[in-house]
Amino acid sequence: MPKLLILSREADKYRALIEKARLPDLTIGLTPTSDVDIVFGETGLIKDALASLPALTWVQTTSAGVETLMNSALRRDYILTNARNVFGKLMSEYVFGYLLAHERQIFKRFADQQAKHWNQKNTGVLYGKTIGLLGVGSIGAELARTAKFFEMTVHGYTRSSETSQNIDKYFHGNDLLKFASGLDYLVSVLPNTQETRKIVNADLLNTLAPHTLFINVGRGSAVDETALLDALNENKIAGAVLDVFEQEPLPIDHPFWTTKNLIMTFHSSAPSLPEDLAKVFIENYKLFIEGKPLQHLVDFERGY
Amino acid sequence: MPKLLILSREADKYRALIEKARLPDLTIGLTPTSDVDIVFGETGLIKDALASLPALTWVQTTSAGVETLMNSALRRDYILTNARNVFGKLMSEYVFGYLLAHERQIFKRFADQQAKHWNQKNTGVLYGKTIGLLGVGSIGAELARTAKFFEMTVHGYTRSSETSQNIDKYFHGNDLLKFASGLDYLVSVLPNTQETRKIVNADLLNTLAPHTLFINVGRGSAVDETALLDALNENKIAGAVLDVFEQEPLPIDHPFWTTKNLIMTFHSSAPSLPEDLAKVFIENYKLFIEGKPLQHLVDFERGY
C-alpha cells in the first residue's frame, strides 16, 4: 500500500485536493517515516528529507525547476518527475503582460497622466514583431503558441528538438548569435544546467538590436549579470524584465534594484495553482499504481 | 474614371500605399474638386469637405467610429463604409495588456522594486476569470477570441446579434444588470449612438463586484462619468482603464486625471496601421468598380 509524504508550505491544500480524488490504495502523511515510498512537494523541503526516507521510490515535484535535487552528493536511486504543462500558460501571461506593457508604454502613459499631458502619440504593437525563445520545452512551446496568436514571428534556440509547430525558425548549437540578430524580444526559459550557464553573455547581448527587450523567466544562472548590467547601462538593449536571478532573494546591495530600464519581479512569474499541481500528481499516481511509465521524467544526467 | 480624394494627416503615406496597389482606372488627389466621387480618410476632415464634393458617391473612413458623419444636418446621399476587422487585434493588445498589468500588479511590483522589497507573493491570473463585453461587433468578437485563448469565460451584451462563437453566454435588452453581475472585468467597445448613451451608469456600476476592473475602449459617451467617479471614489469597483472620454482631449480640470484607481490613456488604444487601413480601401475599391456590394457598410439610421 503506497504511502505518500507531502512536503510543501501548502501541504494541507494539496492533501485535501488529493484526498478528494479518492486514489486507490493511497495513504497520506505530512511527516517523513521509514515506510514513505512517494514524495510530492517542493524541491528544497524534499532535499532535506531525502536521507530519512529509506523506502523512497518516486518523487513528484511541484516545480518545473529541479536543480536543488541535482547535486551529485545527493542520492539518485528514485524516479524523479517534475511539473510540466502547468506553468506554460501562467508564464505566458507574465511574458505577454510585460511585452504589452513595454509596447504600450504603460509606465510612460501613466507618467503622462500624472503630468496631465494628453499624449495621443501612437504606441507600439506586438503584431508583426519577432520574438526569440531561448529554450523550447513545454513552457517555451506555450510562449510560442501565444506569440503566434498575436501574429508574431517566432524564432527558437534549442539543443536539438524541433517539436513545436509554432516556431517559425529553429536555431541550434553554434547559431546562437545568428539567432540573436533580428529579434525584437528575447525571452529565456532555460533551466539551470551546465550547458545553459551564462549563455546570455556579452557576445549575445551585443548582437541584439538596441530596441530589443530581454525577459528572463527561466533561471538566473543563464545570464551573465555583469554583462547584462553593462548592456543596460550602455543602452545596448532597450530594457530587461527579470523574474529570476543568480542569487535569490536578490541581495539588497545588488545593482539590479536600481539599474535603468530594468524591471524586476520576484520569482513569481508562474503563481502556482494547487489544483493544477495536484492534478499532475494524481495523473502520475494512476500511472504509478498501474506500473506504467510516469509522465515528466527528469534525467539526472541532463538535469531537467 | 473614378477620382479618389484622400483626406488624412497621413495622406502621403496612404497615397503611396494605394498607388502601389495599381488599382484599375483610379486617379488620386489630395484636394477637393468637383469631380471627386470617392473619399478615403478621417471623419473630421471628411465632414468639412462634404459640401464641396458634388459628385460624391462613396466614403471609406480610416476609423471604426463614424459619429462625426451622423449629424442629421449633414448630407447622407452617399455610401458610407468604415474600417472594421483592423482595430480588433490592436485593441485586443491594449485591453489584454491592461488586464494583465492589473492581474500581475505591474505598478505595485515596480513600487516593490523601488523599495527594494523582495515580494514573492502570488499575483492574480487571467486564466479562469470572467470577462463581460459591452458590444460584440468585430472588435468585441476579437476581444472574445483573445479571452478564450487565455481560457477565460466570456459574457457578451449586445442588442441582438449572436454571431461570435467565442461568447459563452449572451445577454440582451433588459438583462443588462444580470450581465453585469458575476464579472471580473467589464469592457465596453460600444459606439456612440442614442442607445448606448450613458449605458454604464450608477445602476450598472453598483451591480459590479468590488474586485471588477472596467475598461472603456469604445466611446466616452457610453459612460456616466459622474457615476464612474463615485464608484471609484467609493471603492465600488477595483479600478478603471479609460481610453475614451465624453470630451476629448480631457479638460485639464476634469477629476479623472487624479481619480484613484483610474488609469487613462489618450484615445490611442488602436494605433492605426496605414498598411491595414489602405488594404481596407483597396479591397473595397475592387468591389466598387465591379459594381459589387461594399464591405463594412454603415447604416445612417443605426449610426454604425
CSV table of all heavy atoms in Angstrom, one decimal, chain B residues 49-87:
chain,number,residue,atom,x,y,z
B,49,ALA,N,-15.4,68.6,-45.7
B,49,ALA,CA,-15.3,68.7,-47.2
B,49,ALA,C,-16.6,68.3,-47.9
B,49,ALA,O,-16.8,68.5,-49.1
B,49,ALA,CB,-14.2,67.8,-47.7
B,50,LEU,N,-17.6,67.7,-47.1
B,50,LEU,CA,-18.8,67.2,-47.7
B,50,LEU,C,-19.5,68.1,-48.7
B,50,LEU,O,-19.9,67.8,-49.7
B,50,LEU,CB,-19.8,66.7,-46.6
B,50,LEU,CG,-19.5,65.3,-46.0
B,50,LEU,CD1,-20.6,65.1,-44.9
B,50,LEU,CD2,-19.5,64.2,-47.0
B,51,ALA,N,-19.6,69.4,-48.3
B,51,ALA,CA,-20.4,70.4,-49.0
B,51,ALA,C,-19.7,70.7,-50.4
B,51,ALA,O,-20.4,71.2,-51.3
B,51,ALA,CB,-20.5,71.7,-48.2
B,52,SER,N,-18.4,70.5,-50.5
B,52,SER,CA,-17.7,70.9,-51.7
B,52,SER,C,-17.4,69.7,-52.6
B,52,SER,O,-16.5,69.7,-53.4
B,52,SER,CB,-16.4,71.6,-51.4
B,52,SER,OG,-15.7,70.9,-50.4
B,53,LEU,N,-18.2,68.6,-52.5
B,53,LEU,CA,-18.0,67.4,-53.3
B,53,LEU,C,-19.3,67.0,-54.0
B,53,LEU,O,-19.9,66.0,-53.6
B,53,LEU,CB,-17.4,66.3,-52.4
B,53,LEU,CG,-16.1,66.5,-51.7
B,53,LEU,CD1,-15.8,65.5,-50.7
B,53,LEU,CD2,-15.0,66.6,-52.7
B,54,PRO,N,-19.7,67.7,-55.0
B,54,PRO,CA,-21.0,67.4,-55.7
B,54,PRO,C,-21.1,66.0,-56.3
B,54,PRO,O,-22.2,65.5,-56.3
B,54,PRO,CB,-21.1,68.5,-56.8
B,54,PRO,CG,-19.7,68.9,-57.0
B,54,PRO,CD,-19.0,68.8,-55.7
B,55,ALA,N,-20.0,65.4,-56.7
B,55,ALA,CA,-20.1,64.1,-57.4
B,55,ALA,C,-19.9,62.9,-56.4
B,55,ALA,O,-19.8,61.8,-56.9
B,55,ALA,CB,-19.0,64.1,-58.5
B,56,LEU,N,-19.8,63.2,-55.1
B,56,LEU,CA,-19.5,62.2,-54.2
B,56,LEU,C,-20.5,61.0,-54.2
B,56,LEU,O,-21.7,61.2,-54.2
B,56,LEU,CB,-19.5,62.8,-52.7
B,56,LEU,CG,-19.1,61.8,-51.6
B,56,LEU,CD1,-17.7,61.4,-51.7
B,56,LEU,CD2,-19.4,62.4,-50.2
B,57,THR,N,-19.9,59.8,-54.3
B,57,THR,CA,-20.8,58.6,-54.2
B,57,THR,C,-20.4,57.6,-53.1
B,57,THR,O,-21.3,56.9,-52.6
B,57,THR,CB,-20.8,57.8,-55.5
B,57,THR,OG1,-19.4,57.4,-55.8
B,57,THR,CG2,-21.3,58.6,-56.7
B,58,TRP,N,-19.1,57.6,-52.7
B,58,TRP,CA,-18.7,56.7,-51.7
B,58,TRP,C,-17.6,57.3,-50.8
B,58,TRP,O,-16.7,57.9,-51.3
B,58,TRP,CB,-18.2,55.4,-52.4
B,58,TRP,CG,-17.4,54.4,-51.5
B,58,TRP,CD1,-17.7,54.2,-50.2
B,58,TRP,CD2,-16.3,53.7,-51.8
B,58,TRP,NE1,-16.8,53.3,-49.7
B,58,TRP,CE2,-15.9,53.0,-50.6
B,58,TRP,CE3,-15.5,53.6,-52.9
B,58,TRP,CZ2,-14.8,52.1,-50.6
B,58,TRP,CZ3,-14.4,52.7,-52.9
B,58,TRP,CH2,-14.0,52.0,-51.8
B,59,VAL,N,-17.8,57.1,-49.4
B,59,VAL,CA,-16.8,57.5,-48.5
B,59,VAL,C,-16.3,56.3,-47.7
B,59,VAL,O,-17.2,55.5,-47.1
B,59,VAL,CB,-17.4,58.5,-47.5
B,59,VAL,CG1,-16.4,58.7,-46.3
B,59,VAL,CG2,-17.7,59.8,-48.2
B,60,GLN,N,-15.0,56.0,-47.6
B,60,GLN,CA,-14.4,55.0,-46.8
B,60,GLN,C,-13.6,55.7,-45.7
B,60,GLN,O,-12.7,56.5,-46.0
B,60,GLN,CB,-13.5,54.1,-47.6
B,60,GLN,CG,-12.6,53.2,-46.8
B,60,GLN,CD,-13.4,52.0,-46.2
B,60,GLN,OE1,-14.1,51.3,-46.9
B,60,GLN,NE2,-13.3,51.9,-44.9
B,61,THR,N,-14.0,55.4,-44.4
B,61,THR,CA,-13.3,56.1,-43.3
B,61,THR,C,-12.1,55.2,-42.9
B,61,THR,O,-12.0,54.0,-43.1
B,61,THR,CB,-14.2,56.3,-42.1
B,61,THR,OG1,-14.6,55.1,-41.6
B,61,THR,CG2,-15.4,57.1,-42.5
B,62,THR,N,-11.1,55.9,-42.3
B,62,THR,CA,-10.0,55.2,-41.7
B,62,THR,C,-10.2,54.8,-40.2
B,62,THR,O,-9.3,54.3,-39.6
B,62,THR,CB,-8.7,56.1,-41.8
B,62,THR,OG1,-9.0,57.4,-41.2
B,62,THR,CG2,-8.2,56.2,-43.2
B,63,SER,N,-11.4,55.1,-39.7
B,63,SER,CA,-11.8,54.8,-38.3
B,63,SER,C,-12.9,53.9,-38.3
B,63,SER,O,-13.7,53.7,-39.3
B,63,SER,CB,-12.1,56.1,-37.6
B,63,SER,OG,-13.3,56.7,-38.2
B,64,ALA,N,-13.1,53.2,-37.1
B,64,ALA,CA,-14.4,52.5,-36.9
B,64,ALA,C,-15.5,53.4,-36.5
B,64,ALA,O,-16.6,53.3,-37.0
B,64,ALA,CB,-14.1,51.5,-35.8
B,65,GLY,N,-15.2,54.4,-35.6
B,65,GLY,CA,-16.2,55.3,-35.2
B,65,GLY,C,-16.5,56.3,-36.3
B,65,GLY,O,-15.6,56.8,-37.0
B,66,VAL,N,-17.8,56.6,-36.6
B,66,VAL,CA,-18.2,57.5,-37.7
B,66,VAL,C,-19.2,58.5,-37.2
B,66,VAL,O,-19.9,59.2,-38.0
B,66,VAL,CB,-18.8,56.7,-38.9
B,66,VAL,CG1,-17.8,55.9,-39.6
B,66,VAL,CG2,-20.0,55.8,-38.4
B,67,GLU,N,-19.4,58.7,-35.8
B,67,GLU,CA,-20.4,59.6,-35.3
B,67,GLU,C,-20.3,61.0,-35.9
B,67,GLU,O,-21.4,61.7,-36.0
B,67,GLU,CB,-20.4,59.6,-33.8
B,67,GLU,CG,-19.2,60.1,-33.1
B,67,GLU,CD,-18.2,59.1,-32.8
B,67,GLU,OE1,-18.0,58.1,-33.6
B,67,GLU,OE2,-17.5,59.2,-31.8
B,68,THR,N,-19.1,61.4,-36.2
B,68,THR,CA,-19.0,62.8,-36.8
B,68,THR,C,-19.8,63.0,-38.0
B,68,THR,O,-20.3,64.1,-38.3
B,68,THR,CB,-17.5,63.0,-37.1
B,68,THR,OG1,-16.7,62.6,-36.0
B,68,THR,CG2,-17.2,64.5,-37.4
B,69,LEU,N,-20.0,61.9,-38.8
B,69,LEU,CA,-20.8,62.0,-40.0
B,69,LEU,C,-22.3,61.7,-39.8
B,69,LEU,O,-23.0,61.7,-40.8
B,69,LEU,CB,-20.2,61.0,-41.1
B,69,LEU,CG,-18.7,61.3,-41.4
B,69,LEU,CD1,-18.2,60.2,-42.3
B,69,LEU,CD2,-18.5,62.7,-42.0
B,70,MET,N,-22.7,61.4,-38.6
B,70,MET,CA,-24.1,61.0,-38.3
B,70,MET,C,-25.0,62.2,-38.1
B,70,MET,O,-26.2,62.1,-38.1
B,70,MET,CB,-24.1,60.1,-37.1
B,70,MET,CG,-23.5,58.7,-37.4
B,70,MET,SD,-24.3,57.9,-38.8
B,70,MET,CE,-22.9,57.8,-39.9
B,71,ASN,N,-24.4,63.4,-37.9
B,71,ASN,CA,-25.2,64.6,-37.6
B,71,ASN,C,-26.3,64.7,-38.7
B,71,ASN,O,-26.0,64.7,-39.9
B,71,ASN,CB,-24.3,65.8,-37.6
B,71,ASN,CG,-25.0,67.1,-37.2
B,71,ASN,OD1,-26.2,67.3,-37.6
B,71,ASN,ND2,-24.4,67.9,-36.4
B,72,SER,N,-27.6,64.8,-38.3
B,72,SER,CA,-28.7,64.8,-39.3
B,72,SER,C,-28.7,66.0,-40.2
B,72,SER,O,-29.4,66.0,-41.2
B,72,SER,CB,-30.0,64.6,-38.5
B,72,SER,OG,-30.2,65.7,-37.6
B,73,ALA,N,-27.9,67.0,-39.8
B,73,ALA,CA,-27.8,68.2,-40.7
B,73,ALA,C,-26.9,68.0,-41.9
B,73,ALA,O,-26.9,68.7,-42.9
B,73,ALA,CB,-27.3,69.4,-39.9
B,74,LEU,N,-26.1,66.9,-41.8
B,74,LEU,CA,-25.2,66.6,-42.9
B,74,LEU,C,-25.8,65.7,-44.0
B,74,LEU,O,-26.8,65.0,-43.7
B,74,LEU,CB,-24.0,65.9,-42.4
B,74,LEU,CG,-23.1,66.6,-41.4
B,74,LEU,CD1,-22.0,65.7,-40.8
B,74,LEU,CD2,-22.4,67.8,-42.1
B,75,ARG,N,-25.3,65.8,-45.2
B,75,ARG,CA,-25.9,65.0,-46.3
B,75,ARG,C,-25.7,63.5,-46.0
B,75,ARG,O,-24.7,63.1,-45.3
B,75,ARG,CB,-25.2,65.4,-47.6
B,75,ARG,CG,-23.7,65.2,-47.6
B,75,ARG,CD,-23.1,65.9,-48.8
B,75,ARG,NE,-23.2,65.1,-50.0
B,75,ARG,CZ,-22.5,65.3,-51.1
B,75,ARG,NH1,-21.6,66.3,-51.2
B,75,ARG,NH2,-22.6,64.5,-52.2
B,76,ARG,N,-26.5,62.7,-46.6
B,76,ARG,CA,-26.4,61.3,-46.4
B,76,ARG,C,-26.6,60.6,-47.8
B,76,ARG,O,-27.1,59.4,-47.8
B,76,ARG,CB,-27.5,60.8,-45.5
B,76,ARG,CG,-27.3,61.3,-44.0
B,76,ARG,CD,-28.4,60.8,-43.1
B,76,ARG,NE,-28.0,61.1,-41.7
B,76,ARG,CZ,-28.6,60.5,-40.7
B,76,ARG,NH1,-29.6,59.7,-40.8
B,76,ARG,NH2,-28.2,60.8,-39.4
B,77,ASP,N,-26.4,61.3,-48.9
B,77,ASP,CA,-26.7,60.8,-50.2
B,77,ASP,C,-25.4,60.1,-50.8
B,77,ASP,O,-25.1,60.3,-52.0
B,77,ASP,CB,-27.1,62.0,-51.1
B,77,ASP,CG,-26.0,63.0,-51.2
B,77,ASP,OD1,-25.1,63.1,-50.3
B,77,ASP,OD2,-26.0,63.9,-52.2
B,78,TYR,N,-24.7,59.4,-50.0
B,78,TYR,CA,-23.5,58.7,-50.4
B,78,TYR,C,-23.5,57.3,-49.6
B,78,TYR,O,-24.1,57.2,-48.6
B,78,TYR,CB,-22.3,59.5,-50.3
B,78,TYR,CG,-22.0,59.9,-48.8
B,78,TYR,CD1,-21.1,59.1,-48.0
B,78,TYR,CD2,-22.6,61.0,-48.3
B,78,TYR,CE1,-20.9,59.5,-46.7
B,78,TYR,CE2,-22.3,61.4,-47.0
B,78,TYR,CZ,-21.5,60.6,-46.2
B,78,TYR,OH,-21.2,60.9,-44.9
B,79,ILE,N,-22.7,56.4,-50.2
B,79,ILE,CA,-22.4,55.2,-49.5
B,79,ILE,C,-21.3,55.4,-48.5
B,79,ILE,O,-20.3,55.9,-48.8
B,79,ILE,CB,-22.0,54.1,-50.5
B,79,ILE,CG1,-23.2,53.8,-51.4
B,79,ILE,CG2,-21.6,52.8,-49.8
B,79,ILE,CD1,-22.8,52.9,-52.6
B,80,LEU,N,-21.5,55.0,-47.2
B,80,LEU,CA,-20.5,55.2,-46.2
B,80,LEU,C,-20.0,53.8,-45.7
B,80,LEU,O,-20.8,52.9,-45.3
B,80,LEU,CB,-21.1,56.0,-45.0
B,80,LEU,CG,-20.1,56.2,-43.8
B,80,LEU,CD1,-18.9,56.9,-44.2
B,80,LEU,CD2,-20.9,56.9,-42.7
B,81,THR,N,-18.7,53.6,-45.8
B,81,THR,CA,-18.1,52.3,-45.2
B,81,THR,C,-17.1,52.7,-44.2
B,81,THR,O,-16.3,53.7,-44.4
B,81,THR,CB,-17.5,51.4,-46.3
B,81,THR,OG1,-16.6,52.2,-47.1
B,81,THR,CG2,-18.6,51.0,-47.3
B,82,ASN,N,-17.0,52.0,-43.1
B,82,ASN,CA,-16.0,52.3,-42.1
B,82,ASN,C,-14.9,51.2,-42.1
B,82,ASN,O,-14.9,50.3,-42.9
B,82,ASN,CB,-16.6,52.5,-40.8
B,82,ASN,CG,-17.2,51.3,-40.2
B,82,ASN,OD1,-17.3,50.2,-40.8
B,82,ASN,ND2,-17.7,51.4,-39.0
B,83,ALA,N,-13.9,51.4,-41.2
B,83,ALA,CA,-12.8,50.4,-41.1
B,83,ALA,C,-13.2,49.4,-40.0
B,83,ALA,O,-13.3,49.8,-38.8
B,83,ALA,CB,-11.5,51.1,-40.8
B,84,ARG,N,-13.3,48.2,-40.4
B,84,ARG,CA,-13.6,47.1,-39.4
B,84,ARG,C,-12.5,46.0,-39.6
B,84,ARG,O,-11.8,46.0,-40.6
B,84,ARG,CB,-15.0,46.5,-39.6
B,84,ARG,CG,-16.1,47.5,-39.1
B,84,ARG,CD,-17.5,46.9,-39.3
B,84,ARG,NE,-18.3,47.9,-39.8
B,84,ARG,CZ,-19.6,47.8,-40.2
B,84,ARG,NH1,-20.1,46.6,-40.3
B,84,ARG,NH2,-20.3,48.8,-40.6
B,85,ASN,N,-12.5,45.1,-38.7
B,85,ASN,CA,-11.5,44.0,-38.7
B,85,ASN,C,-10.1,44.5,-38.8
B,85,ASN,O,-9.2,43.7,-39.1
B,85,ASN,CB,-11.8,43.1,-40.0
B,85,ASN,CG,-13.2,42.6,-40.0
B,85,ASN,OD1,-13.8,42.5,-39.0
B,85,ASN,ND2,-13.7,42.4,-41.2
B,86,VAL,N,-9.8,45.7,-38.4
B,86,VAL,CA,-8.5,46.3,-38.5
B,86,VAL,C,-8.1,46.6,-37.0
B,86,VAL,O,-7.0,46.3,-36.6
B,86,VAL,CB,-8.5,47.6,-39.3
B,86,VAL,CG1,-7.1,48.3,-39.1
B,86,VAL,CG2,-8.7,47.3,-40.7
B,87,PHE,N,-9.0,47.1,-36.3
B,87,PHE,CA,-8.7,47.6,-34.9
B,87,PHE,C,-8.8,46.5,-33.9
B,87,PHE,O,-8.3,46.7,-32.8
B,87,PHE,CB,-9.6,48.8,-34.6
B,87,PHE,CG,-9.5,49.9,-35.5
B,87,PHE,CD1,-10.5,50.2,-36.5
B,87,PHE,CD2,-8.4,50.7,-35.5
B,87,PHE,CE1,-10.3,51.2,-37.4
B,87,PHE,CE2,-8.2,51.7,-36.5
B,87,PHE,CZ,-9.2,52.0,-37.4
